Amino acid sequence: ALCISLFSLNGYTEQSVEDVLIRLEEKMSDIKTLQTGFVQEKNLAIFDKKITLKGKIFLEKPDLFAWHTEEPTRYSMIVRDDVILQWDEDIDQVQKVSMKDNPAFQTVVGQMRKWLSGIYMSLLGEYNITVLRQNPVSLKFIPRENTMAYNIISYVRIVFREDERYIQEIYIKEKSGDTTLLRFTDTLLNIPVDAAAWEVKPRGR
């Protein structure tokens, strides 16, 4: 049986956690395409340094995902099915990676796609999930011991918009002490995505 964390301190039970996940999935189920800006703040514990990245994310169900960093350096990652294409302006070469041959990539990319696509019930087998807050909804994901994420991540916290139609931010605390805060801006849902979004190497390069 799936053991969902009880959060009795605030009156949440196992059933209410499932109810929240089902409600979120239903509200996000009609999202076919996504275009959103992002600001990523990564704090490196060992160097006591913060790195800020800005760019755009595109998603088209069922199997297209694109991550384009625009500042301070340019980097692109396109995911089609189980193949990852990467490019950055320093090397200026397209690299191809099979997720089947790279379990770490498969875990990170696969779970990011689930979070962004609103597929939360499927994460119950990989995480203990608690409801931190109801308005706006905030969820905490703690990796289970038998998962690959357990070796890397302490927890993930996701905060949703007030209308629960999409995510407002994702916070990741790694076991190394590093943290990542990903905030979403100017999010557009179900708008046709320009073909250029799926090109790993920017036009004119």
Side-chain angles (χ1 to χ4, degrees):
L2 296 173
C3 298
I4 308 172
S5 295
L6 299 180
F7 203 55
S8 56
L9 180 63
N10 286 330
Y12 299 126
T13 65
E14 179 173 341
Q15 183 60 46
S16 69
V17 173
E18 284 195 9
D19 288 344
V20 171
L21 296 179
I22 291 171
R23 185 179 78 234
L24 291 169
E25 282 201 357
E26 288 177 347
K27 288 193 174 184
M28 296 176 70
S29 64
D30 68 339
I31 296 175
K32 305 304 179 186
T33 67
L34 160 76
Q35 304 178 51
T36 186
F38 72 84
V39 178
Q40 177 181 320
E41 296 178 357
K42 188 170 182 69
N43 284 281
L44 304 176
I46 192 171
F47 298 116
D48 191 24
K49 180 180 180 181
K50 182 170 75 172
I51 299 173
T52 301
L53 304 174
K54 296 181 180 180
K56 294 180 180 178
I57 293 172
F58 300 88
L59 175 72
E60 186 171 309
K61 294 180 179 179
D63 54 18
L64 281 173
F65 175 73
W67 175 294
H68 298 286
T69 300
E70 299 170 345
E71 299 177 29
T73 60
R74 301 181 74 182
Y75 163 82
S76 293
M77 177 182 68
I78 309 295
V79 182
R80 293 187 179 92
D81 298 320
D82 63 349
V83 175
I84 298 174
L85 299 175
Q86 296 183 96
W87 173 90
D88 69 71
E89 63 182 350
D90 292 331
I91 299 176
D92 197 21
Q93 291 183 348
V94 176
Q95 298 177 312
K96 184 176 180 179
V97 180
S98 170
M99 285 198 288
K100 292 180 179 178
D101 299 330
N102 195 318
F105 245 127
Q106 187 172 26
T107 298
V108 173
V109 174
Q111 294 190 2
M112 181 62 73
R113 289 168 75 177
K114 287 181 180 179
W115 289 328
L116 296 177
S117 299
I119 306 173
Y120 302 117
M121 291 296 288
S122 66
L123 294 170
L124 287 172
E126 302 170 66
Y127 292 88
N128 289 305
I129 304 174
T130 56
V131 178
L132 299 178
R133 194 169 55 197
Q134 283 278 13
N135 188 24
V137 171
S138 178
L139 302 177
K140 186 175 184 179
F141 297 75
I142 300 177
R144 297 181 184 277
E145 290 189 24
N146 62 341
T147 64
M148 183 171 293
Y150 178 81
N151 299 318
I152 304 170
I153 297 172
S154 293
Y155 67 87
V156 177
R157 185 183 68 239
I158 298 181
V159 179
F160 292 81
R161 301 190 324 195
E162 289 188 4
D163 63 3
E164 299 181 354
R165 285 278 290 149
Y166 206 68
I167 299 168
Q168 181 174 307
E169 67 178 39
I170 298 176
Y171 178 84
I172 303 171
K173 177 67 178 290
E174 299 178 27
K175 292 195 171 178
S176 65
D178 293 355
T179 64
T180 300
L181 176 61
L182 191 62
R183 299 195 314 272
F184 301 101
T185 62
D186 303 318
T187 302
L188 299 175
L189 304 175
N190 294 329
I191 301 296
V193 178
D194 191 290
W198 313 119
E199 296 178 6
V200 67
K201 189 173 182 179
R203 293 177 181 177
R205 301 287 305 189

